[in-house]
Amino acid sequence: QVQLVESGGGLVQPGGSLRLSCVVSGSWFRVYAMDWYRQGPGKQRELVASIAYDYSTNYADSVKGRFTISRDNAKHTVYLQMNSLKPEDTAVYYCHTARGAADYWGQGTQVTVSS
């Protein structure tokens, strides 16, 4: 059974930073890609960043240069470092992984960017 638990969300002022963490239970963490998604108020869930088993990464255009995804295979953890945060980054952030035909999601962590 694969379980994902996010942490690190909160309230931050524009221009501030946060680091999200996602701890993944289950085996073979190191061979699977990990993603961060977000869903803002009244918006569809969107892919923010991905990191593959070989540490290659992809980002949504809206966060390039501001967000960094990373992984620590020894700790079964994926991170999302978010810098220069903007009000439009306000959303619930979800950790995700896919294993075969199955999708696994965390419970989400709220990030609010406001002065």
Side-chain angles (χ1 to χ4, degrees), residues 80-91:
L80 186 67
Q81 178 66 43
M82 305 185 294
N83 299 329
S84 302
L85 282 161
K86 305 175 181 179
E88 51 263 43
D89 295 318
T90 295

Side-chain angles (χ1 to χ4, degrees), residues 21-51:
S21 301
C22 173
V23 179
V24 183
S25 65
S27 303
W28 301 106
F29 172 82
R30 62 182 175 84
V31 305
Y32 290 99
M34 296 296 304
D35 315 298
W36 284 98
Y37 282 76
R38 69 185 180 187
Q39 187 165 16
K43 298 181 180 179
Q44 291 188 330
R45 192 171 296 190
E46 63 174 349
L47 178 62
V48 175
S50 298
I51 185 165

Side-chain angles (χ1 to χ4, degrees), residues 66-85:
R66 300 188 298 122
F67 290 11
T68 302
I69 189 171
S70 61
R71 64 191 298 160
D72 184 334
N73 289 340
K75 295 183 178 179
H76 281 213
T77 301
V78 61
Y79 303 98
L80 186 67
Q81 178 66 43
M82 305 185 294
N83 299 329
S84 302
L85 282 161

